[in-house]
Amino acid sequence: MTTLLDRPPVVAPPVRRRRAVPLPGPWTYAALIAVLAGSAFPVYWSLVVSSQTPDKVDQVPPVLVPGGHLFANIARVFDTTDFALALTNSLVVSGTITLSVVFFSTLAGFAFAKLRFRGRNALMLLVIATQAIPTELGVIPLYMMMSDFGWAGEVHAVIVPGLVTAFGVFFMRQYFERAVPDELLEAGRMDGCSSLRLYWHVVLPAARPAAAVLGLFTFMQAWNDFFWPLVVLVPENPTVQTALSTLASGYTTDYTLVLTAATIGTVPVLAVFLLFGRQIVGGIMQGALKG
């Protein structure tokens, strides 16, 4: 009969020590500050020029401190061109395209990632292949289609071609492949959920971080789009970018006027980032950790 003294001693497993994460040094902070200053300087310079009079723009040395003519220049922008209409058109175009791209991209990404149907891989390759076609090749037939529809010169012609993007479908498909486990979907199906209910109650909540990132990229792309609105719209119905082009045209360019309008056009993008910045950064960090 063995006793406790006769048994071999139990050896505890070795404790794994976590490696200490090195703290960033002063050169890291210096590099980050330099990148931040370089990124913010164009916005600051636009604000400086837009708050000065035209004779101060060419002054040597240049003026680096904002002046007191910002509101006067803003009034000049709205008096020179219909910039209120341009802001409204850009907000309508960018907001509609963003909502549509996020909705259809999450829906198609879920189908390509988690639903099994014939020809799924071939269709996905076809979607990806459309990204290899330059936009300029489709301008003439697209303009002819908009003319046949009677949309030439209207914002509909800018909105409809951008309602779905191949990049958004591919982006959400890759995200759903890793973020939504098949076991979770199977559990929902056992509870009687259809594919649409799974999409609404399971997939969409899981897609919020990636959808926020896709929404920001889509909004910025639609807001900064210049080529297609310049082709299909008329000067009387502009977006912000085409209005900036009108202000910059002519024999002489009033840079205080142009940069004042550019500063006004930057405010909505900054507002979108401030409103959804937490979800956007969370989505980027979540993708980095999973990668």
Side-chain angles (χ1 to χ4, degrees), residues 216 219 266-277:
L216 176 64
F219 186 88
T266 308
V267 172
V269 180
L270 296 177
V272 169
F273 186 82
L274 291 176
L275 289 175
F276 302 101

Side-chain angles (χ1 to χ4, degrees), residues 12-269:
V15 179
R16 295 182 179 180
R17 296 182 179 180
R18 295 182 178 180
R19 295 182 179 180
V21 179
L23 297 176
W27 290 107
T28 303
Y29 288 106
L32 292 176
I33 292 174
V35 171
L36 177 61
S39 302
F41 182 76
V43 179
Y44 176 75
W45 177 248
S46 298
L47 180 62
V48 170
V49 175
S50 61
S51 62
Q52 301 291 341
T53 56
D55 58 317
K56 295 292 185 65
V57 176
D58 298 328
Q59 182 177 331
V60 180
V63 180
L64 298 177
V65 180
H69 298 82
L70 177 61
F71 295 102
N73 290 330
I74 291 176
R76 287 177 56 213
V77 168
F78 285 94
D79 292 338
T80 305
T81 184
D82 197 351
F83 206 72
L85 178 61
L87 286 171
T88 303
N89 287 341
S90 290
L91 286 173
V92 170
V93 170
S94 302
T96 305
I97 290 178
T98 300
L99 293 176
S100 175
V101 166
V102 171
F103 174 72
F104 286 113
S105 296
T106 53
L107 194 62
F110 165 62
F112 280 117
K114 297 301 178 181
L115 300 183
R116 301 294 181 263
F117 55 91
R118 183 175 299 177
R120 183 185 63 167
N121 295 331
L123 287 175
M124 192 67 226
L125 289 176
L126 183 62
V127 171
I128 297 174
T130 59
Q131 293 185 288
I133 302 175
T135 306
E136 292 76 9
L137 291 180
V139 167
I140 295 178
L142 188 58
Y143 183 82
M144 294 174 63
M145 291 176 59
M146 297 300 109
S147 298
D148 293 339
F149 294 156
W151 292 350
E154 303 292 336
V155 293
H156 308 80
V158 183
I159 294 174
V160 172
L163 290 179
V164 183
T165 62
F167 170 77
V169 175
F170 176 75
F171 178 79
M172 296 308 302
R173 185 253 186 188
Q174 295 299 107
Y175 179 81
F176 287 142
E177 284 281 355
R178 297 176 296 176
V180 180
D182 295 335
E183 294 78 6
L184 184 61
L185 299 178
E186 291 298 331
R189 289 191 178 96
M190 292 180 63
D191 290 338
C193 288
S194 62
S195 296
L196 287 178
R197 290 189 63 187
L198 285 175
Y199 167 77
W200 186 258
H201 295 287
V202 178
V203 175
L204 273 185
R208 285 180 182 176
V213 176
L214 178 62
L216 176 64
F217 290 161
T218 305
F219 186 88
M220 292 182 61
Q221 182 180 4
W223 185 270
N224 295 324
D225 189 15
F226 171 71
F227 181 66
W228 176 239
L230 181 66
V231 171
V232 76
L233 295 180
V234 293
E236 293 78 18
N237 193 25
T239 59
V240 168
Q241 307 306 323
T242 56
L244 289 175
S245 175
T246 302
L247 290 175
S249 61
Y251 293 103
T252 58
T253 302
D254 188 348
Y255 289 103
T256 58
L257 203 64
V258 175
L259 289 181
T260 300
T263 302
I264 298 173
T266 308
V267 172
V269 180

